[in-house]
């Protein structure tokens, strides 16, 4: 049974990535942080699945950054994150038995976490790893029964609750796995991964 991980990640363009971090640092600092997190999640994903894809956003100018990893690079399509995930999941489930979507900012996710999400799909249709801020850092599925993702306030502290409400309303069998943190602000780095600060500073010297 083949497992696929789809990494949702913007192209690393200064001023376009980790903008909330950039407000307290610089565009260059935020861009290098984004690169480090991308490299980390790619390494973790490759150790946890049979196949890995990188999905960038349509609004990004093309860059060569992701080509260095030798992985398929695809373009997200859709009006919001829900549509983009739905399209990506559909594409993945045509070719693999289980698909997990993770974001590049899910720095706390481990190979064990991802493998656990795939394992949970033996007994459930969908698995979610909640984020500490009210969203979620991973969505895994073996089937997808929704015609559309529905109204979810993406990026808000209501995203997880609204997604669960949508699943319940449509009778989708799902499970929640232990929560993990992600990185959206400088405060998140200082709280959860202070060693990242030195890694980024070494790159921007």
């Amino acid at each position: 049974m083949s497992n696929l991980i789809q990494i949702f990640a913007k192209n690393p363009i200064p001023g376009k990535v980790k903008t909330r971090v950039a407000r307290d640092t610089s565009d260059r600092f935020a861009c290098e942080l984004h690169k480090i997190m991308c490299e980390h999640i790619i390494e973790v994903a490759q150790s946890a699945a049979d196949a890995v894809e990188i999905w960038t956003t349509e609004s990004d100018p093309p860059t060569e950054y992701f080509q260095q990893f030798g992985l398929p690079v695809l373009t997200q399509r859709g009006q919001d994150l829900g549509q983009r995930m739905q399209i990506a999941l559909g594409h993945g489930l045509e070719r693999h038995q289980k698909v997990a979507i993770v974001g590049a900012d899910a720095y706390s996710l481990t190979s064990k976490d991802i493998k656990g999400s795939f394992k949970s799909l033996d007994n459930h249709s969908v698995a979610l790893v909640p984020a500490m801020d009210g969203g979620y850092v991973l969505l895994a599925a073996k089937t997808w029964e929704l015609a559309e993702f529905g109204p979810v306030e993406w990026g808000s502290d209501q995203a997880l609750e609204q997604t669960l409400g949508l699943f319940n309303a449509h009778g989708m069998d799902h499970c929640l796995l232990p929560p993990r943190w992600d990185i959206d602000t400088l405060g998140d780095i200082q709280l959860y991964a202070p060693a990242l600060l030195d890694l980024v500073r070494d790159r921007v010297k």
Side-chain angles (χ1 to χ4, degrees):
M1 181 171 286
S2 63
N3 300 331
L4 168 68
I5 297 174
Q6 298 173 325
I7 298 172
F8 273 35
K10 292 182 178 180
N11 281 304
I13 301 169
K16 300 292 186 180
V17 295
K18 309 311 296 178
T19 54
R20 292 167 66 187
V21 173
R23 292 175 201 155
D24 296 315
T25 55
S26 68
D27 289 345
R28 186 183 174 201
F29 183 100
C31 188
E32 291 304 319
L33 169 68
H34 179 67
K35 288 180 181 179
I36 289 172
M37 292 196 298
C38 285
E39 291 155 15
H40 175 77
I41 197 63
I42 288 170
E43 182 179 359
V44 170
Q46 288 180 309
S47 69
D50 303 301
V52 178
E53 298 171 345
I54 299 169
W55 287 69
T56 61
T57 55
E58 190 173 20
S59 60
D60 291 339
T63 72
E64 298 180 355
Y65 173 76
F66 288 120
Q67 304 300 328
Q68 66 181 298
F69 301 104
L71 298 171
V73 180
L74 300 95
T75 301
Q76 299 174 33
R77 293 181 290 113
Q79 296 300 311
D80 59 22
L81 180 58
Q83 288 186 3
R84 295 196 293 270
M85 288 197 298
Q86 180 139 334
I87 290 169
L89 278 173
H91 187 268
L93 288 170
E94 290 176 354
R95 298 166 292 121
H96 298 269
Q97 281 76 36
K98 299 176 180 179
V99 177
I101 295 178
V102 301
D105 55 358
Y107 196 73
S108 63
L109 273 180
T110 66
S111 176
K112 183 178 179 181
D113 292 328
I114 298 174
K115 289 178 179 178
S117 73
F118 286 131
K119 180 65 176 175
S120 70
L121 295 180
D122 291 343
N123 301 308
H124 303 278
S125 297
V126 181
L128 292 168
V129 176
M132 300 294 191
D133 61 4
Y136 44 96
V137 298
L138 177 149
L139 183 152
K142 65 179 179 184
T143 62
W144 195 253
E145 303 161 15
L146 294 181
E148 59 182 33
F149 216 106
V152 174
E153 297 174 68
W154 302 109
S156 77
D157 60 3
Q158 300 299 308
L160 175 63
E161 182 179 347
Q162 291 170 350
T163 298
L164 294 177
L166 187 64
F167 289 169
N168 289 329
H170 288 81
M172 290 185 68
D173 176 40
H174 60 274
C175 68
L176 287 179
L177 300 172
R180 296 290 180 260
W181 47 264
D182 57 2
I183 291 177
D184 294 314
T185 67
L186 181 61
D188 292 335
I189 304 174
Q190 294 167 332
L191 177 62
Y192 296 120
L196 260 179
L197 292 173
D198 290 334
L199 291 177
V200 179
R201 287 168 181 152
D202 286 344
R203 290 205 184 189
V204 299
K205 283 180 179 178

